[in-house]
Amino acid sequence: MQTQSSAMPEHEVHDTAQTQALGFWLYLMSDLVMFSGLFATYVVMAHNYAGGPTGKELFNLTDALLETMLLLFSSVAFGLGMVGMHKGDKRMLLAGLAAALLLGLGFVGMEAAEFSHMISQGAGPQRSGFLSAFFTLVGTHGLHVSFGILWMVVMMAQIATKGLTAPVQARLVRLGMFWHFLDIVWICLFSIVYLMGVL
Amino acid sequence: MSQTHQNNAGAGSGSIKSYATGFILSLVLTAIPFFLVMNGTLSHSGTVFCIFATAVLQIFVQLHYFLHLDTSSAMYWNLMSLLFTFFIIFLFVGGSIWIMHSMHYRM
């Protein structure tokens, strides 16, 4: 099933890719610990409004639902692209990547619009402890998504120039882990920040 | 060796079927809490319980169907590090809530 053109024997390539994937997984776990620190801060600060606007006044659930859908569709599109990669179907891979990229861009765009709208209303990060924690937590996730988009652009360029070599495939596997991981962090975000905030 | 080859630690090759299953389950598990909060059909505590229950379920659905995490030997260390991370998160978040809650109570 593999089209490995490198000089290394196949099992060695496979072992390297597996070790790299586990190493990347450990990075994701440390990222998760960092997110849990931000979540802990948010939960502690969630009612420190300092006389400012509350989550109930600020959050728009329809937008949050739309953002959730964009990220979920993006995650699935990437997964289908990976199915294409394992079949050696370059067009399916590129189509999945492009769809994941555009949906991710839509997500980041919606979040940027939400942030700028809040700041223009005087509900910026300096307004209250609640808003500081909100912008840090949601902004950190948004920054991760932005880096994922950048990574996708780089990988599409690598597929175009290098082709589907073993290292490129291993990088795509790790990018997939990153992308699905960000969708999982978003589940916690929309549940704790948006749904609990409006309740 | 093509069949055993797909255990790529972290994100092996899923099938279209596994992504479709994960997708549909995720859609349902997202729709339930949003519907409950937007309509306010349940009591406050009932809604909170449903939000957390569906979130935890969806996390496991995505870990299994998108990240292909299972109890196979290829995923042993991924699973162990994840469980350890859950423990750290429990200490972090649970400890923070506990301490700050009793501080609010005493002040």
Side-chain angles (χ1 to χ4, degrees), chain A residues 52-90:
Chain A
T54 63
K56 212 169 194 161
E57 293 157 23
L58 289 171
F59 299 151
N60 181 342
L61 272 194
T62 321
D63 284 356
L65 183 61
L66 200 57
E67 284 177 281
T68 308
M69 286 302 117
L70 283 171
L71 214 51
L72 177 62
F73 274 84
S74 179
S75 200
V76 174
F78 197 101
L80 293 179
M82 294 304 282
V83 173
M85 183 191 88
H86 287 286
K87 277 196 229 162
D89 186 344
K90 207 163 156 180

Side-chain angles (χ1 to χ4, degrees), chain A residues 29, chain B residues 78-88:
Chain A
M29 293 301 105
Chain B
N78 296 59
L79 193 62
M80 285 302 126
S81 54
L82 181 71
L83 291 179
F84 178 67
T85 309
F86 280 162
F87 173 66
I88 299 282

Side-chain angles (χ1 to χ4, degrees), chain A residues 10 18 21 25 79 83 86 183, chain B residues 5 7 9 13-14 19 62 78 81:
Chain A
E10 189 173 332
Q18 255 195 342
W25 178 265
V83 173
H86 287 286
D183 199 15
Chain B
H5 200 85
N7 289 324
S13 54
Y19 284 110
Q62 296 207 359
N78 296 59
S81 54

Side-chain angles (χ1 to χ4, degrees), chain A residues 5-194:
Chain A
S5 53
S6 84
M8 279 193 279
E10 189 173 332
H11 65 93
E12 236 172 84
V13 174
H14 182 52
D15 284 353
T16 314
Q18 255 195 342
T19 312
Q20 285 170 335
L22 180 60
F24 192 75
W25 178 265
L26 293 178
Y27 152 69
L28 290 180
M29 293 301 105
S30 70
D31 223 18
L32 202 53
V33 171
M34 185 205 67
F35 271 113
S36 78
L38 295 177
F39 269 109
T41 311
Y42 178 81
V43 170
V44 166
M45 302 288 248
H47 298 290
N48 298 3
Y49 302 120
T54 63
K56 212 169 194 161
E57 293 157 23
L58 289 171
F59 299 151
N60 181 342
L61 272 194
T62 321
D63 284 356
L65 183 61
L66 200 57
E67 284 177 281
T68 308
M69 286 302 117
L70 283 171
L71 214 51
L72 177 62
F73 274 84
S74 179
S75 200
V76 174
F78 197 101
L80 293 179
M82 294 304 282
V83 173
M85 183 191 88
H86 287 286
K87 277 196 229 162
D89 186 344
K90 207 163 156 180
R91 275 178 61 190
M92 184 173 171
L93 169 61
L94 284 172
L97 271 177
L101 184 118
L102 289 175
L103 290 161
L105 269 180
F107 173 85
V108 173
M110 277 195 76
E111 200 167 277
E114 185 196 1
F115 277 13
S116 69
H117 179 66
M118 280 171 77
I119 291 170
S120 70
Q121 278 186 318
Q126 72 275 37
R127 182 62 190 82
S128 63
F130 153 67
L131 283 165
S132 299
F134 167 82
F135 274 94
T136 314
L137 175 59
V138 182
T140 306
H141 177 268
L143 215 56
H144 274 76
V145 176
S146 309
F147 274 108
I149 290 171
L150 186 66
W151 192 357
M152 276 181 209
V153 174
V154 171
M155 287 321 296
M156 286 171 95
Q158 287 199 359
I159 294 167
T161 54
K162 301 182 179 190
L164 278 182
T165 61
V168 169
Q169 292 200 18
R171 280 169 211 149
L172 281 165
V173 166
R174 293 197 288 279
L175 173 56
M177 289 160 71
F178 185 67
W179 204 240
H180 295 315
F181 163 80
L182 287 180
D183 199 15
I184 291 177
V185 173
W186 180 256
I187 298 172
C188 303
L189 263 168
F190 81 69
S191 302
I192 292 171
V193 176
Y194 290 97

